[in-house]
Amino acid sequence: MAHTVLFFLADDDEAAAATRLRGPGAALESVSCQFIDPDTAIAEWDMYLEEPSAEASSSERLYAWRPWPEWVTPPLNDGIEVLALPKRLIRALANASRAELEELAGRWTARLRSEDGDEMTDDDLLAVLQHVARLAQSAVHHGGGLYSWSL
């Protein structure tokens, strides 16, 4: 589980990779959250928006989901990694309705609570998801990609 996660916009993978050592900084628009696994969150968002269902997905189905986000820079001994969100997820987040984001945030929160209990993040996950969706809209309309940086 990452202690700090930043979802951010960058022009391309090269620009995203350049954030590896210090994070995206103030020059790149971002949203932060604490104590989540970014790759699992990204896969969960993608699965829900690609195949919405009335019931929450099991952990087994989530971990079997493909494609998972791809590393722009893999984690080294310091644990820092930069991931690229899949293009279809970026488009889906950009087009998601408020109701879809609320439903997704509710499921995400419920899964984290069931797995992490009282150790769950204190972040407002709906607010995080809404901000990531706004970043996705910007990526779709202005080009570039959406990434996560985590430590």
Side-chain angles (χ1 to χ4, degrees), residues 68-138:
W68 273 61
E70 294 185 15
W71 279 317
V72 175
T73 63
L76 300 175
N77 290 337
D78 59 9
I80 297 171
E81 67 181 359
V82 179
L83 299 167
L85 277 70
K87 295 291 185 197
R88 77 174 183 201
L89 175 58
I90 295 169
R91 285 188 305 274
L93 284 167
N95 294 319
S97 69
R98 180 171 177 79
E100 287 173 315
L101 293 175
E102 288 171 354
E103 175 68 21
L104 176 53
R107 288 182 186 211
W108 185 27
T109 300
R111 184 186 60 77
L112 289 175
R113 187 169 288 119
S114 73
E115 290 180 1
D116 301 338
D118 291 338
E119 301 300 315
M120 189 180 121
T121 182
D122 290 334
D123 289 314
D124 178 344
L125 297 180
L126 175 57
V128 169
L129 196 54
Q130 289 171 328
H131 196 139
V132 171
R134 284 191 296 277
L135 293 174
Q137 289 170 347
S138 183

Side-chain angles (χ1 to χ4, degrees), residues 4-74:
T4 302
V5 178
L6 296 165
F7 293 96
F8 68 98
L9 292 172
D11 290 337
D12 53 33
D13 287 359
E14 185 177 328
T19 69
R20 188 197 175 303
L21 293 179
R22 294 196 175 108
L28 299 173
E29 187 177 357
S30 66
V31 60
S32 67
C33 56
Q34 304 289 315
F35 304 111
I36 67 161
D37 287 321
D39 52 352
T40 306
I42 293 165
E44 185 169 13
W45 302 345
D46 188 42
M47 183 171 58
Y48 174 78
L49 293 170
E50 185 71 16
E51 296 179 4
S53 68
E55 300 193 14
S57 298
S58 66
S59 293
E60 294 81 22
R61 184 166 179 252
L62 174 61
Y63 293 119
W65 184 253
R66 296 292 178 256
W68 273 61
E70 294 185 15
W71 279 317
V72 175
T73 63

